[in-house]
Amino acid sequence: MDINEIFEKLDDIQEKMQSEEISLEDSFRYYAEAMELLKQCDEQIGAVEEKVRILDENGEKHEFE
């Protein structure tokens, strides 16, 4: 899942959690799902930051994958 898909999914979860009719069990389930998505997002951002560091250290341009 790419970062844009993660943000879309997080938006969906946020909408569901704002419902007044959500059960406590569902809110915990959505919370756990959101935390996992945030972890994936952090990993993807970390990978991009690492590529940027490599560019800076070597002074060369490389295509992002």
Side-chain angles (χ1 to χ4, degrees):
M1 186 177 314
D2 74 17
I3 201 159
N4 291 324
E5 292 171 326
I6 292 172
F7 286 145
E8 287 176 20
K9 188 101 170 139
L10 287 168
D11 283 341
D12 290 341
I13 290 171
Q14 181 183 16
E15 279 186 38
K16 291 174 184 175
M17 289 186 73
Q18 290 176 341
S19 169
E20 293 180 13
E21 299 175 9
I22 190 170
S23 70
L24 184 60
E25 185 177 285
D26 284 342
S27 64
F28 281 123
R29 184 172 52 84
Y30 289 133
Y31 175 80
E33 184 179 355
M35 294 307 294
E36 183 59 36
L37 290 167
L38 287 171
K39 182 179 173 185
Q40 290 176 25
C41 185
D42 185 54
E43 289 170 356
Q44 289 185 20
I45 290 171
V48 171
E49 287 175 344
E50 182 62 30
K51 289 179 182 180
V52 170
R53 276 190 224 118
I54 291 171
L55 279 171
D56 289 344
E57 290 172 7
N58 295 334
E60 298 174 3
K61 293 183 181 180
H62 300 277
E63 293 292 322
F64 288 140
E65 296 175 24

